Amino acid sequence: MTYDDDNIFAKILRGEIPNRTVLENEHVLAFHDISEQAPTHVLVIPKGKYVSFDDFAANARDEEIVAFIRAAGQVASDEGVAPSTGGEGFRIIANAGKNGVQEVPHFHLHVLGGRWLGRMLKKAEE
Ligand code: AMP
């Protein structure tokens, strides 16, 4: 799948759409999800043009991958949900492709926490 430069996160990275940033560095941007599903719901995205987790894993440089994983951990800590820094826990989700119900075709992690999140999956209902 080729990268679509018109996807909404590409527009956010170009500054064409506002966002509520919680962390930014050379390789990563993290911002509040516009439709929060938990008290903490932050999206972590690489600045590089990667469509999905598998694209990122296969094609990102080591430096980008390290920066990305460290940033996701930092977000969890900064949001107060990381167990290693006294938080009560969180979940990271990466939706990929049709069956993964990925809506925005720019790789992102959802960092969710701040409440009991229940079991990981229910039977697919929609
Ligand atoms: P996914 O289904 O994993 O692709 O999730 C895409 C997420 O992007 C959803 O949770 C949306 O609420 C979120 N989203 C869509 N547009 C924006 C936006 N402009 N700012 C922040 N989050 C957004």
Side-chain angles (χ1 to χ4, degrees):
M1 187 178 178
T2 54
Y3 185 82
D4 174 10
D5 276 309
D6 286 332
N7 81 75
I8 199 138
F9 295 169
K11 291 179 180 175
I12 284 176
L13 286 169
R14 290 196 297 267
E16 294 166 13
I17 293 176
N19 73 91
R20 291 199 293 139
T21 299
V22 300
L23 179 154
E24 182 168 17
N25 63 36
E26 181 187 355
H27 295 299
V28 185
L29 179 68
F31 53 93
H32 289 281
D33 195 292
I34 205 166
S35 177
E36 290 177 325
Q37 296 183 39
T40 293
H41 188 172
V42 174
L43 301 173
V44 185
I45 72 173
K47 289 189 173 176
K49 297 179 179 183
Y50 303 103
V51 174
S52 57
F53 179 90
D54 47 299
D55 183 20
F56 184 71
N59 297 313
R61 287 178 287 120
D62 289 1
E63 181 186 332
E64 294 175 282
I65 293 173
V66 170
F68 187 76
I69 295 296
R70 293 239 189 260
Q74 188 66 50
V75 165
S77 187
D78 291 349
E79 293 291 316
V81 297
S84 64
T85 50
E88 295 192 332
F90 64 96
R91 181 170 297 155
I92 283 180
I93 296 174
N95 297 318
K98 180 167 70 74
N99 282 358
V101 197
Q102 179 181 4
E103 290 173 5
V104 179
H106 180 114
F107 171 48
H108 52 281
L109 297 180
H110 297 255
V111 179
L112 296 147
R115 67 166 170 81
W116 170 254
L117 293 167
R119 289 194 182 276
M120 190 165 66
L121 288 175
K122 288 186 249 173
K123 280 189 177 173
E125 70 278 1
E126 51 189 6

